[in-house]
Amino acid sequence: MAITDDVLVIGGGIAACTAALSAAETGARVRLLAHKKSTLRQASGLVDVLGYAGDEGPFSDPYAGLDALPEDHPYHIVGEDGIRDGLRLFDEAVGDAYQGGHTDTNALVMTHGGAVKPTARYPESVAPGLASSSGDMLLVGFENLTDFDAPVAADHLTAAGVPFSVRGVTLEFPKSFRSDAKVTRFAKALDRDESVDGGTARSVLADAIDAELDGETRVGFPAMLGDDHDDEVRDELADRLGVPVFEVPTGPPSLLGLKLEDMLFDALDEAGVRISAGNPAVDFEAEDGRIETVIVDQKSRRTPYEADQIVLATGGLVGKGIDSDREHITEPVFGCHIPHPEDRYEWSEPEAFGSHAFARFGVVPDDELRPTDEDGAVQFENLRAAGGVVGGADIAREKSASGVSLSTGAVAGRLAGEEATQ
Amino acid sequence: MNKSPSVLVIGGGSTGTGIARDLAMRGLDVTLVEKGNLTHGTTGRMHGLLHSGGRYAVSDQASAKECIVENRVLRRIAGHCVEMTGGLFVQRPEDSDEYFQKKLEGCRECGIPAEVLSPEEAREMEPYLAKDIKRAIKVPDGAVDPFRLCVANAASAVEHGARVETHSEVTDVLVEDGEVVGVEVTHQTGTGPYVHGNPGEVEEIYADYVVNATGAWAGQIGDFAGVDVEVRPSKGVMTIMNTRQVDTVVNRCRPKGDADIIVPHETTCILGTTDEEVEDPEDYPEEGWEVDLMIETLSELVPMLEDARTIRSFWGVRPLYEPPGTGTEDPTDITREFFLLDHADRDDLPGMTSIVGGKLTTYRMMAEKISDHVCEKLDVEAECRTADVPLPGSEDFSVLRDYMDDFGLRSPIGRRSVQRLGSRADDVLNSIDPNPVVCECEAVTRAEIQDALDTAGTDLNSVRIQTRASMGNCQGAICCHRMANELAPEYDEAIVRSSLDDLYQERWKGERHAMWGEQLSQAALKHMLHATTMNRDEDPATAETDLDFAAFDDGSPSDGGNTSDSTSGGAVADGGRVAADDEGGANGDN
């Protein structure tokens, strides 16, 4: 007997979670089929909607840039309403943990390299550090954490012309770890407030920073201020220092990304979405242009999952929702058509930050987000796509990754749910 | 002032640095100039094979004999640059028995230890060899790190008083009264200790003798002096795999052909190569079919290569030379011997000798020969000692194991650091505390990066080749910016940023030749981290127009021109939506 649901969402990232939440809102019985850990551990945890389009940007109003996007951009399918619906689902899912929902205007957040970028939603811990708000800033880096060099980031931020003064200092973390210790180990020491020479991790750290403070009204750290007790860590540091503290989003392993993943899965639980995790969807059975069964490889046992409607949200090249060999770009689960140049040297540009074709690889959706074949015909009547597997957006350049995932997830999930419950 | 005769060496590859070391050790006053960083030309673009001589045992026995001699010398003086992997010449069923026999006899004639292995024995050594191979010859091939080797030679030369100038391009050869008396160099960039000039500054360097050790570029230096040096540059492609599919050098046992060697190198394998004459050593096509040819042909020896992950490809140019009038059509037939072209004898232009041809394995012997030649010209009597005195880092290399114990270095990080640093490990690893890992793929710590920066100035590519940082699976996605950060506080933020841009672009260039499958996924992640997470492609610090910070959300509920909802604090359910078309949802629980 196959496992049967109304809507089966394949994937485990922002798009998949949003699609599942959106489908659940329609009253459908929804299952999320996640394989490995999502790519959120590699993401900053910021939720961008649109920062740049063509030669334009950065946009303070992301909706103002929609017209400048190319015709085949997924935002033109989901429309402004779809984007807003995606953000609504996101805001409901994460509650107070993210800010930015009070306005349509993008915020400018500093990156760990010291550049600033436009974003629509930002974690609460990042909020006091917005580059678009005033207040002199002290950045604190640690000798052991090589991903963030506070003095370099401070000077870089200054080079961008921020309307406040910023200074960086490098300190020794109160506790020493192995030379290859990851940021999570530092977070844990603060979480548990481990005892160190001269007191506890938080108090000794606060004392060291206090000695450096020179009138700055906010203090920033790489995103490592605790994991399970992050609020407590930030509150205690802010309290001891007498100024707000904030986190700067970093690269992998990104604690902010991991926390977002946890929040989204909690929201799925709350919405009654069933979750099957740990195994990949590898195959399917179809009849008359409809997918009947999705086959999941459970330690080499093939388990069938049945559903009326299916949402493909397996990610792009990074998440392996799109695969390739020396000649072809493919969508591995359903074999959806992905247009691409024949010569693989045309998939990328010689300039590192050129306009890479690979950045826009993905399935070609119809106006209901159903993947189409080479001739533009719908490939499977009950299959929709969301997130990175959808082509047409240059999410890296546009700073639109989360926005595309949220909006296509919201729309694909809603349409699937409505169809299944009719 | 130093009264010893002065020699100017052009070229910072293995030959040039080898000559500089040799002459400096003999007490001469040596200056070496290199237009890029050390190994910028051919040396930095080879597959790292330490020849046993087996490869030339049939076609070029003179070269084969030199190889086995120097193979033994390098094991002695450059232990920390060499990994003695051993090598196999593998015969497939379609390869000729007659050639196999000739190879075996040739090896023995040249004094190269050679042993025939049955297919079972060969596969016991290398389990991934094709099932249908016929047999193999085992020879003492190895892997050599050309970067470490060059840097060690340059360091030794400096220890003996030489001046080494990188990023200093020779832009003219100074000829006075029919004699070469020096060169004009144009300093290019960087502020490191190996560069004394300022960018754009032109300097005339006079010397008693000039050695042109620029390999494939020798003709261009010859042009400045008005003499013909007809090098025949020949390009070859090399493809880097992400793991070591083999731990032994694997050669195809057939007369000649493209794509016939796999060299295990550090954490990778390098597939090589092709041999195709090109016009210009700087500018030649790098084509995808060459990469495909490597993979497809070498899969005949090691089938798993067909679907294995490659991380990048690169091309190098051989400085092939043959005496005028030989008229060889096919570059693969041109001898691998080296030639001293004394321009006094040859062109009636005293004061300069060019060295062309040859190969990395015999670099020291070439350096010895040309140093002998220079000493004879300058009437200096001094013995060559380079075959006996270990290079910096290789003195007492046997203590490597003790270091591992001393530092408690059981982890791969420590083990690899000590292998890279050899006898310098103690000094380097003790120099910095704490000493975090900067490059995770290749396990390179801050101490090693800082040590490399001592000689690299702001040139992160030079740091890269000395340490291997950014050369692993992620191709710099995780560590390029960390490496750049190590330039601070000595250099300011603008230099940190431009050095990062240079390194990142260089890493991208070679990775493009591996962009499919896993590596395309990796490259996409790299692009996301640097473009999305860090916004390096639209960095406002480099934009021409000022950013209007006040137009953006400052986090306060009253902010923003488009604000349509003034709910205070936290997340608002509808993001300020205008149209109401939601299906079921209440506005959450706010």
Side-chain angles (χ1 to χ4, degrees):
Chain A
M1 261 288 285
I3 298 145
T4 308
D5 296 279
D6 293 332
V7 177
L8 182 65
V9 178
I10 310 173
I14 293 183
C17 292
T18 311
L21 291 169
S22 182
E25 277 188 344
T26 67
R29 179 184 158 108
V30 183
R31 179 178 301 273
L32 184 91
L33 200 57
H35 176 204
K36 286 190 235 172
K37 289 220 174 284
S38 79
T39 52
L40 277 165
R41 71 184 297 277
Q42 292 156 341
S44 65
L46 298 178
V47 174
D48 308 335
V49 169
L50 187 66
Y52 305 85
D55 298 331
E56 295 178 47
F59 299 116
S60 54
D61 174 4
Y63 302 103
L66 294 178
D67 288 345
L69 291 170
E71 263 177 41
D72 62 347
H73 197 285
Y75 277 165
H76 290 313
I77 296 171
V78 299
E80 188 172 327
D81 288 349
I83 298 171
R84 291 185 185 279
D85 208 34
L87 286 169
R88 172 188 62 82
L89 284 160
F90 178 82
D91 291 338
E92 287 173 10
V94 301
D96 289 345
Y98 272 70
Q99 296 189 15
H102 61 280
T103 175
D104 275 359
T105 307
N106 275 332
L108 293 173
V109 175
M110 73 170 290
T111 73
H112 63 293
V116 299
K117 77 161 190 169
T119 193
R121 297 289 187 275
Y122 39 90
E124 195 197 4
S125 68
V126 170
L130 293 187
S132 46
S133 73
S134 54
D136 291 351
M137 196 183 266
L138 177 70
L139 296 175
V140 177
F142 297 100
E143 286 178 341
N144 322 52
L145 288 174
T146 53
D147 216 28
F148 179 69
D149 186 298
V152 170
D155 290 347
H156 193 158
L157 209 53
T158 305
V162 292
F164 49 84
S165 82
V166 52
R167 204 163 55 84
V169 291
T170 302
L171 303 177
E172 202 171 322
F173 195 75
K175 187 163 185 155
S176 58
F177 303 116
R178 283 197 344 260
S179 57
D180 58 344
K182 297 237 187 289
V183 65
T184 41
R185 182 65 190 88
F186 293 77
K188 197 131 275 170
L190 291 170
D191 251 354
R192 298 197 290 232
D193 203 13
E194 292 173 5
S195 59
V196 299
D197 281 352
T200 62
R202 295 178 201 166
S203 64
V204 171
L205 177 58
D207 287 347
I209 295 165
D210 203 30
E212 296 283 349
L213 261 181
D214 184 19
E216 287 89 355
T217 56
R218 42 184 174 162
V219 177
F221 300 82
M224 43 78 77
L225 297 180
D227 189 359
D228 296 334
H229 305 289
D230 46 357
D231 290 345
E232 204 182 299
V233 172
R234 283 201 316 281
D235 286 348
E236 181 170 343
L237 288 175
D239 202 39
R240 287 176 179 273
L241 293 169
V243 295
V245 302
F246 62 91
E247 293 185 298
V248 178
T250 59
S254 162
L255 282 172
L256 297 177
L258 289 167
K259 285 177 200 172
L260 176 56
E261 182 168 32
D262 289 345
M263 283 182 240
L264 292 174
F265 273 80
D266 286 348
L268 293 177
D269 271 342
E270 221 163 284
V273 172
R274 291 154 182 76
I275 299 173
S276 301
N279 299 294
V282 291
D283 203 356
F284 68 101
E285 286 159 11
E287 216 176 290
D288 299 333
R290 276 183 74 84
I291 293 164
E292 302 284 333
T293 311
V294 173
I295 310 290
V296 171
D297 182 4
Q298 290 179 333
K299 306 199 172 51
S300 57
R301 192 162 50 91
R302 288 162 62 93
T303 307
Y305 283 77
E306 280 177 5
D308 186 66
Q309 299 291 319
I310 293 156
V311 178
L312 178 68
T314 41
L317 285 165
V318 179
K320 313 274 168 66
I322 298 177
D323 200 358
S324 62
D325 58 24
R326 278 186 273 150
E327 282 95 31
H328 304 103
I329 302 292
T330 48
E331 185 285 294
V333 184
F334 300 106
C336 295
H337 167 63
I338 296 181
H340 59 272
E342 224 170 272
D343 180 351
R344 68 170 182 263
Y345 283 82
E346 289 172 28
W347 299 352
S348 62
E349 294 291 318
E351 283 297 311
F353 291 122
S355 179
H356 303 301
F358 74 74
R360 295 182 302 278
F361 284 165
V363 302
V364 184
D366 76 344
D367 57 7
E368 283 189 34
L369 291 172
R370 290 176 299 189
T372 58
D373 63 18
E374 276 164 90
D375 304 321
V378 168
Q379 234 167 327
F380 302 98
E381 162 194 330
N382 61 339
L383 176 70
R384 288 179 179 77
V389 75
V390 178
D394 188 342
I395 52 173
R397 208 174 167 77
E398 296 160 4
K399 322 303 158 191
S400 63
S402 305
V404 168
S405 288
L406 289 172
S407 59
T408 54
V411 171
R414 176 172 52 80
L415 292 173
E418 285 171 356
E419 194 84 25
T421 53
Q422 246 177 17
Chain B
M1 280 299 285
N2 195 341
K3 293 214 181 71
S4 54
S6 62
V7 182
L8 185 113
V9 180
I10 314 172
S14 53
T15 312
T17 56
I19 294 166
R21 176 187 194 224
D22 195 330
L23 289 172
M25 283 171 76
R26 298 190 203 208
L28 277 72
D29 179 12
V30 180
T31 300
L32 182 144
V33 293
E34 159 59 50
K35 73 170 171 174
N37 51 35
L38 295 178
T39 76
H40 167 87
T42 300
T43 299
R45 310 193 133 256
M46 48 100 62
H47 47 38
L49 172 62
L50 180 69
H51 281 283
S52 61
R55 193 171 187 79
Y56 306 113
V58 178
S59 60
D60 189 350
Q61 292 207 339
S63 290
K65 286 174 190 160
E66 288 174 359
C67 283
I68 188 63
V69 170
E70 287 299 298
N71 175 301
R72 291 181 173 127
V73 171
L74 288 185
R75 283 191 244 169
R76 194 163 64 232
I77 66 157
H80 82 297
C81 307
V82 168
E83 181 189 355
M84 279 316 293
T85 58
L88 292 175
F89 280 88
V90 178
Q91 184 190 18
R92 285 195 46 81
E94 62 269 29
D95 299 337
S96 118
D97 284 341
E98 190 196 344
Y99 185 77
F100 188 89
Q101 203 53 38
K102 272 189 180 168
K103 178 71 85 184
L104 186 62
E105 284 160 15
C107 285
R108 289 176 177 160
E109 283 158 20
C110 296
I112 302 162
E115 182 190 341
V116 176
L117 301 186
S118 69
E120 294 75 26
E121 288 167 330
R123 266 198 303 277
E124 197 159 306
M125 268 182 81
E126 286 305 334
Y128 296 119
L129 284 175
K131 293 271 180 288
D132 59 345
I133 61 156
K134 201 165 170 189
R135 54 188 168 163
I137 303 171
K138 188 180 162 195
V139 294
D141 283 340
V144 58
D145 185 327
F147 307 118
R148 236 179 276 164
L149 187 66
C150 269
V151 170
N153 270 292
S156 173
V158 170
E159 279 172 17
H160 289 90
R163 171 185 172 196
V164 174
E165 295 263 357
T166 57
H167 300 285
S168 300
E169 182 170 10
V170 169
T171 41
D172 203 3
V173 172
L174 306 175
V175 180
E176 286 173 11
D177 302 327
E179 187 178 351
V180 173
V181 295
V183 298
E184 174 199 279
V185 300
T186 304
H187 297 288
Q188 298 199 315
T189 177
T191 45
Y194 274 10
V195 183
H196 303 272
N198 297 313
E201 189 178 279
V202 176
E203 183 186 2
E204 290 183 342
I205 303 176
Y206 286 86
D208 296 320
Y209 207 80
V210 172
V211 177
N212 172 17
T214 55
W217 288 261
Q220 296 177 3
I221 298 296
D223 289 345
F224 288 133
V227 295
D228 263 344
V229 181
E230 294 197 6
V231 200
R232 292 174 63 174
S234 163
K235 73 165 174 173
V237 64
M238 280 145 281
T239 293
I240 307 183
M241 312 307 291
N242 78 321
T243 56
R244 281 169 71 127
Q245 284 85 6
V246 294
D247 289 314
T248 310
V249 173
V250 174
N251 302 267
R252 179 84 174 255
C253 190
R254 62 179 176 190
K256 64 179 181 190
D258 287 338
D260 57 1
I261 189 160
I262 309 167
V263 184
H265 199 83
E266 298 265 343
T267 50
T268 69
C269 274
I270 302 182
L271 314 185
T273 177
T274 44
D275 201 342
E276 196 179 340
E277 206 159 332
V278 295
E279 288 289 318
D280 182 343
E282 297 275 351
D283 186 22
Y284 48 85
E286 298 179 344
E287 289 170 75
W289 66 262
E290 299 174 273
V291 177
D292 292 332
L293 178 78
M294 286 304 112
I295 295 167
E296 276 151 25
T297 311
L298 283 164
S299 305
E300 294 170 15
L301 289 183
V302 179
M304 72 182 303
L305 292 175
E306 177 72 43
D307 299 313
R309 172 174 172 185
T310 85
I311 53 180
R312 62 195 283 121
S313 288
F314 62 98
W315 279 254
V317 185
R318 297 173 190 82
L320 297 185
Y321 179 86
E322 59 177 16
T326 314
T328 308
E329 299 272 317
D330 184 338
T332 60
D333 290 333
I334 298 176
T335 177
R336 263 50 173 170
E337 277 181 85
F338 63 89
F339 297 87
L340 295 190
L341 311 179
D342 184 331
H343 297 293
D345 302 343
R346 192 172 166 273
D347 307 297
D348 204 17
L349 180 70
M352 181 165 92
T353 287
S354 296
I355 184 161
V356 286
K359 58 194 130 352
L360 183 105
T361 301
T362 56
Y363 89 94
R364 194 212 58 82
M365 183 183 277
M366 290 158 66
E368 177 176 348
K369 295 265 167 67
I370 199 158
S371 297
D372 285 347
H373 179 77
V374 170
C375 285
E376 193 187 309
K377 289 277 163 187
L378 296 175
D379 216 12
V380 173
E381 277 195 36
E383 290 282 300
C384 173
R385 295 187 292 134
T386 58
D388 303 312
V389 182
L391 286 161
S394 285
E395 303 103 343
D396 198 8
F397 191 54
S398 61
V399 300
L400 191 142
R401 267 189 200 84
D402 300 339
Y403 279 125
M404 292 202 200
D405 291 341
D406 283 356
F407 290 107
L409 295 174
R410 285 176 307 270
S411 75
I413 295 162
R415 189 165 52 77
R416 300 213 48 221
S417 299
V418 173
Q419 278 170 349
R420 282 189 294 258
L421 293 164
S423 55
R424 299 181 55 246
D426 196 359
D427 288 345
V428 174
L429 294 178
N430 271 335
S431 65
I432 284 175
D433 180 46
N435 183 26
V437 170
V438 173
C439 163
E440 289 164 17
C441 297
E442 294 294 306
V444 184
T445 61
R446 169 174 289 154
E448 275 182 86
I449 303 274
Q450 287 293 342
D451 175 60
L453 280 171
D454 284 347
T455 57
T458 58
D459 184 349
L460 294 178
N461 269 311
S462 172
V463 174
R464 169 179 73 76
I465 62 181
Q466 290 183 59
T467 62
R468 290 189 66 80
S470 80
M471 289 169 78
N473 275 350
C474 88
Q475 290 287 292
I478 307 292
C479 65
C480 272
H481 59 287
R482 298 177 176 181
M483 290 169 69
N485 284 344
E486 293 297 319
L487 288 165
E490 194 177 341
Y491 301 99
D492 67 27
E493 187 274 330
I495 291 178
V496 171
R497 205 190 316 153
S498 67
S499 295
L500 167 59
D501 289 343
D502 287 351
L503 177 65
Y504 190 78
Q505 178 60 41
E506 189 281 337
R507 295 283 77 197
W508 188 263
K509 183 175 171 254
E511 191 177 6
R512 281 194 75 221
H513 301 295
M515 281 196 197
W516 68 84
E518 279 287 327
Q519 203 62 27
L520 177 57
S521 174
Q522 184 78 62
L525 173 61
K526 177 171 167 177
H527 186 58
M528 290 291 286
L529 291 176
H530 287 261
T532 305
T533 301
M534 287 195 262
N535 198 19
R536 289 188 44 225
D537 62 334
E538 295 282 1
D539 186 352
T542 56
E544 280 168 21
T545 48
D546 288 342
L547 189 52
D548 179 9
F549 284 84
F552 289 81
D553 169 25
D554 69 358
S556 63
S558 60
D559 172 75
N562 295 329
T563 305
S564 59
D565 190 320
S566 59
T567 311
S568 63
V572 166
D574 65 1
R577 166 173 26 198
V578 183
D581 65 343
D582 65 42
E583 305 307 324
N587 287 346
D589 55 3
N590 283 19

